Amino acid sequence: KWCLTCQVNKKLVINTDDFRKLAKEKKINLIRADWTKKDNDITLFLQENNLAGVPAYFIIKNKELKFLGETLSLQKIKDNL
């Protein structure tokens, strides 16, 4: 709730019917890591990927981690699937 960019991404992309439809069609497993309380595992993951904080969005495809950036669009997700 404290991250404005996260809230915008949720409203414009993640919590939309189009995204839910895409996730279902492509059988996407969604994982959300909540860093509100500065979880050490999340901190280490961010550091390993040269990131200072959130938001940070990723797709794993063919066992390769792809960083999508801090802001999302449905097209950006589709382009990386």
Side-chain angles (χ1 to χ4, degrees):
K1 294 182 180 181
W2 55 270
C3 173
L4 179 60
T5 305
C6 298
Q7 297 306 314
V8 170
N9 287 329
K10 280 194 246 182
K11 181 175 176 110
L12 298 181
V13 181
I14 296 170
N15 290 340
T16 65
D17 290 338
D18 289 338
F19 177 75
R20 285 189 280 275
K21 181 180 175 184
L22 176 67
K24 185 176 181 178
E25 285 175 1
K26 300 292 186 178
K27 298 179 182 175
I28 298 170
N29 294 315
L30 304 174
I31 300 171
R32 179 177 168 205
D34 185 347
W35 201 41
T36 304
K37 296 181 181 178
K38 303 288 186 180
D39 180 280
N40 287 334
D41 290 335
I42 297 170
T43 301
L44 289 173
F45 176 84
L46 292 170
Q47 290 173 346
E48 288 169 1
N49 288 281
N50 299 313
L51 298 167
V54 293
Y57 296 93
F58 298 86
I59 287 179
I60 300 172
K61 181 179 178 183
N62 299 325
K63 298 183 182 182
E64 180 184 338
L65 187 68
K66 294 183 175 192
F67 179 55
L68 299 182
E70 295 179 357
T71 59
L72 287 177
S73 72
L74 196 57
Q75 191 59 53
K76 185 188 291 187
I77 295 167
K78 287 178 181 180
D79 290 346
N80 283 279
L81 289 177

